[in-house]
Amino acid sequence: GAVVSQHPSWVICKSGTSVKIECRSLDFQATTMFWYRQFPKQSLMLMATSNEGSKATYEQGVEKDKFLINHASLTLSTLTVTSAHPEDSSFYICSASSRGLAGGGHEQFFGPGTRLTVL
Amino acid sequence: GENVEQHPSTLSVQEGDSAVIKCTYSDSASNYFPWYKQELGKRPQLIIDIRSNVGEKKDQRIAVTLNKTAKHFSLHITETQPEDSAVYFCAAILNQAGTALIFGKGTTLSVSS
C-alpha cells in the first residue's frame, strides 16, 4: 500500500519551454503533497508543500511563478517548470502523506522521481 | 526554522562491521525523525523512523537512537552487507504544525566485501 507514482520518469526539453510533472497517490488519498529537487550528489531540497484545494507553500528561494504547483485533487499534484533553463535540470521528486494512514500523517511516501534535462 | 546536520558525509566499512551515522537538529519542537536509504537514481526509501516519545527503536540489523535533550539522533547498522551500500539521509519535521521534512546532506555508505 501507499504507492506514489510520477510521470514522466524523465524528460528532455529545450530552454524556454515549460514542463509539467505529475504526481499521483495510487491507493490512498494524500492530505498533503510535497515537491523536492535533488541535484547530483546532493540532498533533497524541499521546494513546496501543497494541500488539496489550497495554494502551495513555497520554501524560501523557490520562485512560485516559475514552479507552478497545482493540487486539484486528493490523488494528484502537478509541478510545472515554466520557461525552463539549463540550471533547472535536476531530479524532481514528489512525496505524499495522509493523516488517514498509520502514523498520523508523518510518514511520507515518495514517487520515483523525474529526471529533467534542459538543453 | 529547522536545520539538520548529518555526519559523516562518507563512510567506508568492511562487510560485517557496524556503521553509525549521526544527525543533529535545531528545533526542539520536532517530533518525528525518519531515516531514508537512496540508491542511485531511485526514490528515497524509509528504513526506520522514531518519534520523540521514545529513545530507541530497532528493526533487525537497523536501530535508531534519539537524545531529545542533546537534539541528536543516530542510525546504527550492524553486520553490514554490500547491499547496504547507498546514500542515507536523516530528516526531521520542519515544524510541529506541519509534516514537511528537512533532510540532512546525506552519508554515502560503502560496504566492501
Side-chain angles (χ1 to χ4, degrees), chain A residues 17-33:
Chain A
T17 60
S18 294
V19 174
K20 180 185 283 188
I21 303 170
E22 292 186 349
C23 177
R24 293 181 186 272
S25 56
L26 299 184
D27 53 1
F28 68 101
Q29 293 186 320
T31 313
T32 309
M33 286 185 166

Side-chain angles (χ1 to χ4, degrees), chain B residues 2-7 22-26 35 71-73 90 102-106:
Chain B
E2 180 67 280
N3 184 46
V4 177
E5 299 285 338
Q6 183 173 346
H7 298 280
K22 299 181 179 181
C23 286
T24 60
Y25 60 98
S26 60
W35 284 90
K71 289 189 283 188
H72 68 69
F73 56 112
C90 64
I102 293 299
F103 284 79
K105 293 192 175 182

Side-chain angles (χ1 to χ4, degrees), chain B residues 10-57:
Chain B
T10 60
L11 180 58
S12 296
V13 300
Q14 291 285 322
E15 182 178 2
D17 289 348
S18 295
V20 180
I21 304 171
K22 299 181 179 181
C23 286
T24 60
Y25 60 98
S26 60
D27 189 348
S28 56
S30 290
N31 58 4
Y32 176 66
F33 308 93
W35 284 90
Y36 289 88
K37 175 183 180 182
Q38 187 180 31
E39 297 176 350
L40 191 63
K42 302 276 185 70
R43 77 185 84 193
Q45 292 196 313
L46 178 71
I47 56 172
I48 197 166
D49 58 12
I50 192 168
R51 300 179 193 280
S52 58
N53 58 346
V54 298
E56 184 175 358
K57 183 177 178 181

Side-chain angles (χ1 to χ4, degrees), chain A residues 15-64:
Chain A
S15 185
T17 60
S18 294
V19 174
K20 180 185 283 188
I21 303 170
E22 292 186 349
C23 177
R24 293 181 186 272
S25 56
L26 299 184
D27 53 1
F28 68 101
Q29 293 186 320
T31 313
T32 309
M33 286 185 166
F34 308 87
W35 287 95
Y36 296 86
R37 181 168 53 181
Q38 186 177 33
F39 292 108
K41 297 187 177 181
Q42 293 189 24
S43 186
L44 286 82
M45 297 298 296
L46 179 66
M47 299 176 69
T49 301
S50 76
N51 295 293
E52 184 262 342
S54 61
K55 290 184 179 180
T57 302
Y58 290 81
E59 293 302 303
Q60 193 173 10
V62 178
E63 300 172 56
K64 62 180 181 180

